[in-house]
Amino acid sequence: MVSEPLLRVEGLEVAYGEVQVLWGLDLAVAEQEVVALVGSNGAGKTTTLKALAGALRPRAGRIVFEGRDITGRPAADAVRTGIVLVPEGRQLFAGMSVHENLMMGAYARQDGMGAIRQDLDWVYELFRELAKKRGQLAGTLSGGEQQMCAIGRGLMAKPRLLLLDELSLGLAPVIVDRLVEIVTRIHRERGLAILLVEQDLNVALAMAGRGYVLETGRLVRSGAAEELLADEAVRAAYLGM
Ligand code: ATP
């Protein structure tokens, strides 16, 4: 990459106490790029996203966003900088309505109610399913609707880089297809940069142009989506073929 990417990660190392789980990760996401991070259970995908979102403090390495070193900054700073995580398991406020959950996403914005309302309309247009249920408690939504609400809440923060953790987890294929369609639309309409984590290679590479393969805390492969999908070793490891 010739110009400075939107996100550049160098030598990232993260540990939980004595147990180190990421070992020197180097990765980059360009403006408007959709990149996948794939790998099996426990490889360290969620840990990587949490470190980028400021929820975990790296032991070593650098996280550079728009040319600025943001390593070790707290999560609230990351959101203000434009890095927004849609967490695994969605973590909605179950006792609050869909509308309230979406508005929680906008808490750190300073660009005024007009802009926030416009984004809210856009989110309801993207997720027609939610528009009909804006007053319903999030805890009573179906799994797919909860995932939509979590993505919508992330979008309400007006991200420059959206981190999506395991969108497809536990959802029926027809719902996963709908989520893939919406993520593709979000990218097309807003040119948003997205780093997404998936265990399912096919789902990941249906959305991403490029991917990285993570194995027990180390990046072992990277390449264009079609290259990774055509790679026998990668397919054997992640598609069970
Ligand atoms: P999954 O798809 O299962 O979420 P993952 O690739 O996202 O897998 P991580 O959740 O990042 O993997 O976990 C990486 C490693 O770190 C695992 O061995 C896991 O047991 C360990 N780990 C994760 N969270 C903690 C924690 N809070 N304390 C200690 N170890 C942890």
Side-chain angles (χ1 to χ4, degrees):
M1 245 172 272
V2 180
S3 60
E4 176 71 23
L6 181 66
L7 173 76
R8 182 159 49 88
V9 175
E10 293 171 352
L12 186 70
E13 309 212 346
V14 176
Y16 294 103
E18 293 299 298
V19 183
Q20 184 157 346
V21 298
L22 295 183
W23 302 83
L25 262 53
D26 293 327
L27 61 89
V29 180
E31 291 273 5
Q32 309 205 343
E33 196 182 24
V34 183
V35 176
L37 183 61
V38 296
S40 49
N41 234 326
K45 305 180 298 296
T46 297
T47 302
T48 305
L49 294 191
K50 282 186 177 165
L52 297 179
L56 289 172
R57 213 183 158 82
R59 168 175 283 186
R62 291 207 318 147
I63 301 169
V64 180
F65 189 70
E66 294 184 302
R68 275 181 298 147
D69 190 332
I70 58 159
T71 320
R73 296 263 197 88
D77 275 16
V79 173
R80 276 187 209 99
T81 319
I83 302 180
V84 175
L85 172 66
V86 178
E88 185 176 7
R90 300 133 202 171
Q91 298 176 26
L92 294 171
F93 302 99
M96 288 166 76
S97 69
V98 167
H99 176 77
E100 287 165 334
N101 269 277
L102 292 176
M103 291 307 285
M104 288 298 285
Y107 80 95
R109 285 176 63 163
Q110 297 185 325
D111 55 347
M113 267 318 282
I116 291 173
R117 281 219 188 83
Q118 267 183 12
D119 281 346
L120 188 65
D121 289 346
W122 178 56
V123 166
Y124 281 136
E125 194 198 311
L126 283 173
F127 300 109
R128 300 181 300 275
E129 297 87 339
L130 294 182
K132 290 178 265 173
K133 302 191 171 180
R134 54 186 87 194
Q136 190 171 323
L137 294 184
T140 66
L141 296 172
S142 70
E145 290 162 350
Q146 288 190 14
Q147 188 63 76
M148 292 176 195
C149 192
I151 300 170
R153 185 179 59 183
L155 292 175
M156 288 305 294
K158 207 175 169 58
R160 311 240 314 115
L161 172 66
L162 190 63
L163 308 174
L164 297 175
D165 197 354
E166 298 270 8
L167 283 194
S168 65
L169 198 70
L171 299 176
V174 57
I175 309 288
V176 175
D177 287 348
R178 170 93 178 107
L179 292 170
V180 168
E181 174 200 318
I182 291 172
V183 169
T184 307
R185 205 181 138 195
I186 291 167
H187 177 244
R188 200 177 53 229
E189 290 183 11
R190 293 277 161 117
L192 196 59
I194 301 173
L195 177 62
L196 56 95
V197 152
E198 276 292 334
Q199 266 187 55
D200 186 323
L201 190 68
N202 277 328
V203 172
L205 298 178
M207 294 179 273
R210 208 158 58 78
Y212 293 91
V213 179
L214 189 62
E215 245 175 57
T216 51
R218 289 184 168 88
L219 289 175
V220 293
R221 283 293 313 269
S222 70
E226 51 283 9
E227 258 172 60
L228 292 180
L229 275 172
D231 187 308
E232 290 300 327
V234 172
R235 290 174 68 80
Y238 301 105
L239 294 174
M241 290 171 169

